[in-house]
DNA sequence: GTCGGATCTGGAGCGCGCTCCAGGTCAAGA
DNA sequence: TCTTGACCTGGAGCGCGCTCCAGATCCGAC
């Protein structure tokens, strides 16, 4: 199985090595497999998962939110529970979008005023 | 002129009194007029401005961003400069919306999978 | 006048999400 | 074998955006 070094993984994920380790400590990713010497070896699966985490982080979800997300997707939960949780998260994101849209409207007003 | 006490203003703005003072210290609002005894008296204009600030804060802009915003709207800048600045801010907000949409797509996939 | 609640100030404290550091280990190349 | 650089761990430090606190002041109600 082809794996990536921490530096390569961080580069691919667009975050720092420290951040990757931090996410692992927080239980957001991994645990990442280690080489005989103790170095982390990131698989494509790891990278995929990391991509999901960074996607949500970019969207502004907090570490605690993501821990919940991980728990829901990994642990034993009924599909119903998962769907409820996921829909809640989605609604929260929609509210953020709404807040952004309000702010953009204000900006548009100002832009129109000064144009 | 009818004015509001700090408590009333904070209530109307949906933030804490401390936050209002903090915003004033940071130059995001005010300076708020004071009564003879030194208490703040918030006018409707103040409230309007505070509403704009909280709108942008809700949208995720940082204090530094808002300071820039205030500077642009208050100080002597040409309309062109203002428009450039405002468009930049708008573009940044659009990127946030895009990030949120990506995250929502991921959620939608998961929701579809578990439904 | 007195009481009590709201407000004042300057500054300390806090939770979040990293980021950095010291001191040590591992491993590829000369 | 030796060097060099990437990586390891645990823990400290940091910037942001508040939030809280102590100690003082103000002011409406009694």
């Amino acid at each position: 199985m082809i794996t990536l070094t921490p530096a390569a993984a961080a580069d691919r994920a667009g975050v720092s090595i420290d951040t990757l380790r931090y996410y692992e400590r927080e239980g957001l990713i991994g645990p990442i497999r280690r080489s005989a010497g103790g170095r982390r070896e990131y698989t494509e699966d790891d990278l995929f998962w990391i991509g999901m985490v960074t996607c949500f982080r970019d969207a502004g979800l907090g570490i605690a939110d993501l821990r919940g997300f991980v728990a829901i997707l990994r642990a034993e939960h009924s599909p119903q529970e998962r769907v409820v949780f996921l829909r809640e998260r989605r609604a929260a994101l929609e509210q953020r979008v709404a807040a952004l849209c309000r702010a953009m409207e204000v900006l548009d007003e100002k832009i129109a005023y000064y144009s």
Side-chain angles (χ1 to χ4, degrees), chain A:
Chain A
M1 166 120 61
I2 168 173
T3 58
L4 296 180
T5 64
D11 189 56
R12 275 265 302 266
V15 298
S16 73
I17 295 180
D18 270 328
T19 297
L20 245 26
R21 281 196 288 246
Y22 172 66
Y23 287 170
E24 191 177 350
R25 267 204 303 281
E26 296 297 321
L28 270 40
I29 61 174
I32 306 299
R33 222 189 43 201
R34 304 304 185 94
S35 71
R39 275 83 195 289
R40 290 176 180 79
E41 298 179 325
Y42 294 87
T43 66
E44 283 299 325
D45 278 359
D46 290 331
L47 264 288
F48 180 78
W49 187 268
I50 291 168
M52 223 169 51
V53 168
T54 55
C55 174
F56 287 132
R57 283 292 302 124
D58 289 345
L61 276 78
I63 301 300
D65 290 325
L66 280 164
R67 252 192 307 254
F69 192 80
V70 169
I72 279 288
L73 292 193
R74 282 193 177 157
E76 325 71 21
H77 288 278
S78 70
Q80 290 92 324
E81 284 175 308
R82 297 186 195 214
V83 169
V84 166
F85 178 85
L86 295 169
R87 283 198 199 286
E88 281 173 6
R89 295 292 101 207
R90 195 189 197 290
L93 296 192
E94 275 170 18
Q95 290 195 356
R96 279 170 194 267
V97 170
L100 282 161
C101 287
R102 281 193 295 275
M104 285 197 289
E105 279 172 24
V106 173
L107 285 180
D108 285 342
E109 273 176 36
K110 301 286 175 196
I111 289 170
Y113 180 78
Y114 290 119
S115 292

